[in-house]
Amino acid sequence: MLDATAPMLKVRDLHAWYGESHILHGMDFDVAEGEVVTLLGRNGAGKTTTLKAIIGLVGRRSGSVLYRGVEMVGRRPDEIARAGIALCPEERGIFSALSVAENLVLPPVIAPGGLAVPTLYELFPNLRERARSQGTRLSGGEQQMLAIARILRTGARLLMLDEPTEGLAPVIVQQIGRTIRDIKARGFTVLLVEQNFHFAATVADRHYVVENGRVVDMIRNEDLSASMDKLHDYLGV
């Protein structure tokens, strides 16, 4: 029987390698069901590698990744995805030759509870207007919306978003923020990698600071303003 009080995601002593390069050096953090949690840190701190290690897209990993009490280390990426974890990569990875509508229905549904295409169009009105447009014709913001929308359809409950606001215009960043708050209200859980902690503060419950492949601090969102000095030290901003 699963412990109802246990976190949805429990990462302990997670190490990861790309070839001979040892990138993660014992990541430890939790994400509770229904939370939005960010990983903050400088470039090269290991944030993106953490997401890839959780879903199995690294050369080698060790430690423990418990998702709803079930160990994911040792499982293939497709098995982890079907367990209910979805990754929206920084490069977005949409199929440029396919239309928006085709991209939305391409990933398989792995569990009930995903959002239907009409609901996705309500969340992202731009995508409804561009439904027949090829991926190559979308702006960067529209590509990011499509990348998020298609994983919402699958029924995955833990959504890992890697730098979703990078390079986007402020009006699009605001829309991405509204979307994250909306999907949280719908019961989804979000693990967010962000450089922009001003944006992260508008959507997240807690923030883990990552340095050199390990967590060095955890800051609750309500404590963020009181922690700005040390956060500036951590992030170099």
Side-chain angles (χ1 to χ4, degrees):
M1 180 179 297
L2 295 181
D3 182 357
T5 64
M8 174 186 262
L9 182 72
K10 183 176 181 179
V11 175
R12 292 293 180 271
D13 195 31
L14 182 62
H15 293 249
W17 292 259
Y18 293 124
E20 296 300 313
S21 298
H22 191 178
I23 308 299
L24 300 185
H25 298 268
M27 290 287 293
D28 290 282
F29 64 93
D30 298 331
V31 182
E33 188 147 9
E35 270 195 311
V36 177
V37 170
T38 61
L39 301 179
L40 296 174
R42 304 186 193 207
N43 284 331
K47 307 181 304 295
T48 293
T49 300
T50 299
L51 301 190
K52 291 183 175 180
I54 288 169
I55 207 163
L57 295 176
V58 292
R60 182 161 61 99
R61 60 182 176 156
S62 67
S64 177
V65 175
L66 290 178
Y67 175 68
R68 289 182 163 165
V70 179
E71 183 60 66
M72 295 292 115
V73 171
R75 295 192 173 205
R76 301 190 311 269
D78 63 297
E79 293 175 323
I80 297 169
R82 290 182 182 279
I85 302 176
L87 172 64
C88 181
E90 183 180 359
E91 61 274 14
R92 297 160 190 156
I94 65 170
F95 291 90
S96 58
L98 301 182
S99 70
V100 165
E102 290 168 333
N103 266 279
L104 282 178
V105 300
L106 189 61
V109 172
I110 55 96
L115 303 186
V117 171
T119 304
L120 294 172
Y121 285 151
E122 290 173 14
L123 270 177
F124 300 101
N126 306 55
L127 297 184
R128 181 194 291 117
E129 298 168 7
R130 306 300 302 274
R132 296 186 178 181
S133 298
Q134 284 188 324
T136 51
R137 298 181 179 273
L138 302 181
S139 68
E142 289 166 341
Q143 289 182 19
Q144 186 63 68
M145 294 174 197
L146 178 56
I148 295 173
R150 66 179 180 181
I151 61 175
L152 288 169
R153 199 189 125 266
T154 65
R157 303 307 297 177
L158 173 59
L159 311 179
M160 302 194 300
L161 310 182
D162 191 3
E163 300 278 11
T165 68
E166 185 176 20
L168 301 184
V171 65
I172 303 299
V173 171
Q174 290 175 5
Q175 186 171 353
I176 298 294
R178 287 194 298 271
T179 299
I180 292 174
R181 290 189 291 271
D182 189 312
I183 62 180
K184 179 188 176 183
R186 294 171 185 264
F188 290 91
T189 304
V190 179
L191 178 58
L192 175 69
V193 161
E194 256 305 329
Q195 289 265 80
N196 182 352
F197 70 86
H198 296 293
F199 168 77
T202 68
V203 297
D205 299 292
R206 295 184 297 119
H207 311 272
Y208 287 100
V209 181
V210 182
E211 284 187 353
N212 300 316
R214 57 173 57 90
V215 170
V216 296
D217 206 348
M218 189 278 286
I219 303 171
R220 298 187 182 279
N221 206 52
E222 59 265 30
D223 300 327
L224 201 57
S225 59
S227 305
M228 291 305 293
D229 287 345
K230 66 177 179 179
L231 199 55
H232 278 79
D233 290 339
Y234 286 138
L235 302 180
V237 293

